[in-house]
Amino acid sequence: MSAKPVHALGTRIWKSRFIYLLILPTIIYFAIFTYAPFYGITIAFKDYKIIAGIMDSPWVGFKHFEAMFTSEKFPTLLKNTIIISLYRLLFGFPIPILFALMLNEVRHMLFKRFIQTVTYFPHFLSWVVFAGIIYNFIGPSGIINLVLVNTGLDKFNFTTNPDVFRTLVVITAILKEFGWGAIIYLAALSGIDSQLYEAAKIDGAGKLRQIWHVTLPGIRPIIALLFCLQLAGILDAGFDQIFMFLNPALYDVGDIIDTYVYRLGILQSQFELATAVGLFKGVIGMILIITANTIIRRMGEKSLW
Amino acid sequence: MVEQTAHATQPVSELKFSTRRSLDANPWWAQSLIYLILIGAGLITLLPMVNVWAISFSEAHEIYKNPMMLWPKSFTLESYKYIFNTQVLLKAFGITVFVTLVGTFLNLLFTATGAYGLSKTHIPGHRFLLWIVIIPMLFGAGLIPMYILLKNIGLLNSIWVMIIPSLVAPFNLILMRNFFWSIPESLEESARIDGASDMRVLWSIILPLSKPVIATVGLFYAVGHWNDFFSGLFFISDNSKWPLQMVLRSIIIDFNMLNMGTQNTNTLNDSSRLIVQPENIKAATIIFAIVPILLVYPFLQKYFVKGIMLGSVKG
């Protein structure tokens, strides 16, 4: 045995033993709490017997997936999830951009800071609390109903009316996050070289043309990135929010994949079907995020990985 | 490091802005419109909260007469007396304080060590180890496999279920890792030449430099724990172990549902029943939940903004 082994890799590993030791707890954590549950996915293909455990439960192939795709519930869930997500994208996505553009025009720094401080705040509240604030406003003895009654109209029940549920969800989500959502655009706006504006001005560009030709191209990369990310998350319609506003009267318009998986799996212990529905969502989500990343990369922007 | 540059560049950039802006000011009407819209945005955020605050200190008959108030009418503390006598709320508050403090400490410990290790790109297998962290951001097993795992290892219905299964958030780890990675290697090298051990390099060189990123990620985790609702809903059926948000929900939302049909005020004791109604108590509960966030808000704002910048610059 030579005292100095020439096994380069071995030496490099041994020299880095302290680093591996630091990483080890994190890797163990991920192994237990994100990789071990991958094994649990097999129950989507099994007849899960709690006493027998996952391993000894009999395989049933795609039975649960057939049940899922042929059920009456599934198209409704998918439709609700996608419609709510698309509404969010359509109405919720441009507002923080417009808000950031307007804040960027403010020259009064104290005023700007004040507006930012106020509008960022709801981001830090939980949906439980924010929904409480909304209910206080739209509830039976809230301000909106007072105004309706005073103008001679009937009281309006916002909380159990299927016609307004999606609107309510989209508007309240915008109210909670529009301020915070502007930050990232403000950061991008402050990074635009002021010489570009001066050059545009010398070329005779007015204010609007400057916004069109300098400001918007300057924040385009971040707009593209966030748009793709949000599109990739289309099956995430926002459990934490929707759960607060949802009740059985609203299932036809408001029951989304996540709320259904919760009720089916945790409340009714139908583990196999709930796992199958969850797996469907996970696989589509993964395909979408990988596609989004590829598109961002093709466009020549900074991709996620 | 980040802090210093931020301070150094701020006055300069403001100066630049003001010269740029004076070049192409908006016409007065456009500028007024922008200010009006921004004031509107501020008011639409602020007024509903002020309204809740006013209702929480008012007597019930006032809100039935006119809920449109920004200042308490017939000032009373009955609503607050009621919630501070609600044992289940106080217990949940205690549980959430514990989970937030202990949880955030453990989050930071695991995230920082992992992030530091993964910032060392020269170690064999570095890319493989990094992918172990990235994959969970792309694909998760879903709720039910997690539920079954937690059941099998006995974490279900334990308050540790709010801490251990969410020990490391991949996004935060990557954020920290990119920060560590941007620290010049030469700093560590010179310390090693002076004879410092690995542990000492980490403790006396890296950590002091990383205070801003540690504060940012720590606050991300802390707010996450404080607002955590999922763990309680999914994994804790015993309501004596519920976190704050679960109890808040049963007070704020379920009171609400009861109100849709019949007035059910059985849970109110008789003395406060005459003065305050569920609306007031819900309002007081909302304020009770907002105040702790409000107290740490200056830090939250400062470090969260910094975190967004870090994430957007290098993420």
Side-chain angles (χ1 to χ4, degrees):
Chain A
M1 295 291 139
S2 84
K4 282 226 176 220
V6 276
H7 201 281
L9 185 65
T11 333
R12 276 168 65 210
I13 291 175
W14 178 247
K15 273 178 90 176
S16 311
R17 63 193 182 279
F18 176 70
I19 304 296
Y20 290 116
L21 200 66
L22 284 178
I23 302 174
L24 187 68
T26 304
I27 297 299
I28 292 174
Y29 160 77
F30 280 108
I32 296 174
F33 291 102
T34 50
Y35 291 96
F38 285 173
Y39 176 64
I41 290 174
T42 55
I43 67 169
F45 306 93
K46 287 191 168 197
D47 220 345
Y48 181 53
K49 305 261 191 298
I50 293 174
I51 301 151
I54 300 172
M55 182 130 30
D56 296 326
S57 297
W59 292 94
V60 293
F62 286 90
K63 187 178 109 182
H64 303 301
F65 288 90
E66 271 167 39
M68 172 174 96
F69 288 120
T70 53
S71 77
E72 270 176 47
K73 189 76 197 170
F74 188 71
T76 315
L77 291 176
L78 203 57
K79 197 179 97 191
N80 289 341
T81 308
I82 291 175
I83 287 179
I84 292 173
S85 285
L86 285 181
Y87 278 172
R88 271 180 207 277
L89 196 64
L90 192 63
F91 298 103
F93 191 78
I95 288 179
I97 302 176
L98 292 173
F99 186 61
L101 287 176
M102 282 194 270
L103 271 178
N104 203 39
E105 295 302 319
V106 172
R107 273 173 284 175
H108 205 288
M109 281 306 145
L110 208 66
F111 177 77
K112 186 175 172 181
R113 273 201 70 90
F114 177 74
I115 294 293
Q116 285 176 299
T117 304
V118 169
T119 54
Y120 292 175
F121 186 67
H123 171 77
F124 297 96
L125 300 177
S126 67
W127 264 109
V128 182
V129 173
F130 198 72
I133 295 171
I134 299 294
Y135 274 140
N136 172 65
F137 214 69
I138 63 173
S141 58
I143 290 175
I144 295 200
N145 272 316
L146 176 90
V147 172
L148 286 179
V149 171
N150 284 354
T151 50
L153 297 163
D154 284 334
K155 277 200 176 188
F156 191 83
N157 195 338
F158 288 93
T159 47
T160 52
N161 191 321
D163 296 335
V164 296
F165 177 77
R166 288 172 186 158
T167 316
L168 183 73
V169 165
V170 172
I171 290 177
T172 53
I174 291 172
L175 283 176
K176 190 170 182 290
E177 300 294 336
F178 77 91
W180 184 254
I183 289 183
I184 199 154
Y185 298 113
L186 284 170
L189 284 171
S190 69
I192 297 174
D193 189 350
S194 60
Q195 289 180 348
L196 290 174
Y197 288 103
E198 279 157 41
K201 182 141 176 77
I202 290 164
D203 290 346
K207 187 74 202 180
L208 286 175
R209 304 211 90 199
Q210 287 179 33
I211 290 177
W212 186 254
H213 291 291
V214 181
T215 312
L216 286 179
I219 58 174
R220 196 187 60 196
I222 196 76
I223 292 179
L225 181 77
L226 292 183
F227 188 82
C228 287
L229 274 183
Q230 210 173 325
L231 206 57
I234 197 159
L235 293 188
D236 280 309
F239 177 87
D240 43 352
Q241 180 193 5
I242 289 187
F243 188 75
M244 297 304 152
F245 290 106
L246 196 63
N247 56 59
L250 302 167
Y251 282 167
D252 279 346
V253 291
D255 203 9
I256 56 168
I257 294 177
D258 291 332
T259 48
Y260 183 68
V261 168
Y262 162 69
R263 284 205 314 280
L264 194 71
I266 309 268
L267 300 183
Q268 299 165 20
S269 296
Q270 292 195 42
F271 293 129
E272 304 97 327
L273 191 54
T275 308
V277 177
L279 180 60
F280 169 80
K281 188 194 158 209
V283 170
I284 301 284
M286 183 180 65
I287 293 170
L288 287 174
I289 188 96
I290 290 172
T291 313
N293 192 60
T294 314
I295 292 171
I296 297 167
R297 198 180 282 173
R298 288 268 165 79
M299 287 193 305
E301 311 289 7
K302 200 170 60 183
S303 59
L304 296 173
W305 64 83
Chain B
M1 220 163 61
V2 165
E3 200 150 16
Q4 279 168 0
T5 46
H7 280 300
T9 53
Q10 212 146 11
V12 179
S13 62
E14 266 171 38
L15 208 77
K16 227 197 284 175
F17 280 150
S18 53
T19 52
R20 193 261 290 174
R21 290 235 168 70
S22 61
L23 276 174
D24 47 342
N26 287 311
W28 67 269
W29 56 269
Q31 198 66 3
S32 313
L33 190 66
I34 288 172
Y35 272 69
L36 272 178
I37 294 173
L38 291 177
I39 290 170
L43 289 180
I44 212 171
T45 318
L46 199 58
L47 293 186
M49 284 190 266
V50 177
N51 181 239
V52 171
W53 171 81
I55 287 175
S56 76
F57 284 107
S58 299
E59 288 183 8
H61 63 92
E62 295 289 353
I63 64 164
Y64 290 123
K65 230 187 295 168
N66 185 358
M68 212 182 293
M69 55 169 98
L70 297 174
W71 196 258
K73 287 178 188 165
S74 335
F75 184 87
T76 174
L77 288 172
E78 275 312 314
S79 307
Y80 287 93
K81 265 188 210 154
Y82 176 80
I83 64 168
F84 279 106
N85 279 320
T86 310
Q87 283 309 316
V88 65
L89 182 66
L90 300 182
K91 185 159 186 219
F93 186 83
I95 289 175
T96 295
V97 168
F98 173 82
V99 167
T100 304
L101 294 178
V102 175
T104 304
F105 173 76
L106 292 175
N107 288 142
L108 282 176
L109 188 68
F110 278 72
T111 309
T113 50
Y116 178 71
L118 287 170
S119 73
K120 299 293 159 208
T121 46
H122 61 80
I123 62 164
H126 158 261
R127 285 211 69 81
F128 170 75
L129 293 170
L130 199 58
W131 271 105
I132 289 183
V133 180
I134 292 174
I135 287 170
M137 291 202 274
L138 309 179
F139 180 76
L143 175 62
I144 304 303
M146 187 66 164
Y147 180 85
I148 292 171
L149 173 85
L150 294 174
K151 195 174 178 182
N152 288 342
I153 61 178
L155 270 179
L156 229 51
N157 267 324
S158 149
I159 66 168
W160 290 97
V161 83
M162 292 180 270
I163 296 175
I164 295 171
S166 51
L167 217 42
V168 181
F171 175 82
N172 290 343
L173 189 142
I174 299 293
L175 191 77
M176 265 192 157
R177 180 229 171 233
N178 289 348
F179 182 86
F180 289 141
W181 184 65
S182 70
I183 296 175
E185 191 75 22
S186 54
L187 275 174
E188 292 188 34
E189 289 307 321
S190 54
R192 283 216 176 78
I193 290 166
D194 292 346
S197 65
D198 286 320
M199 199 59 212
R200 186 156 177 86
V201 168
L202 183 56
W203 190 255
S204 329
I205 310 279
I206 304 298
L207 280 188
L209 280 175
S210 312
K211 272 181 201 154
V213 80
I214 291 171
T216 301
V217 170
L219 285 169
F220 278 158
Y221 280 125
V223 170
H225 283 301
W226 190 264
N227 287 340
D228 181 20
F229 173 75
F230 297 91
S231 319
L233 180 71
F234 296 151
F235 308 130
I236 300 181
S237 51
D238 173 2
N239 61 15
S240 71
K241 289 175 188 157
W242 269 358
L244 184 63
Q245 300 298 330
M246 282 293 283
V247 172
L248 289 178
R249 175 175 159 267
S250 54
I251 296 176
I252 297 170
I253 312 281
D254 290 347
F255 247 151
N256 230 308
M257 293 309 176
L258 292 173
N259 267 350
M260 305 309 323
T262 53
Q263 283 283 343
N264 185 342
T265 48
N266 288 341
T267 40
L268 289 179
N269 61 42
D270 286 331
S271 63
S272 36
R273 190 171 181 169
L274 302 168
I275 307 167
V276 294
Q277 287 284 312
E279 271 73 16
N280 306 87
I281 288 164
K282 276 184 280 179
T285 312
I286 291 169
I287 298 302
F288 173 81
I290 288 180
V291 166
I293 300 272
L294 203 57
L295 290 178
V296 293
Y297 186 47
F299 302 98
L300 292 179
Q301 203 189 349
K302 182 177 166 201
Y303 285 107
F304 265 60
V305 172
K306 212 171 265 178
I308 293 279
M309 305 298 185
L310 282 174
S312 65
V313 173
K314 297 177 197 109

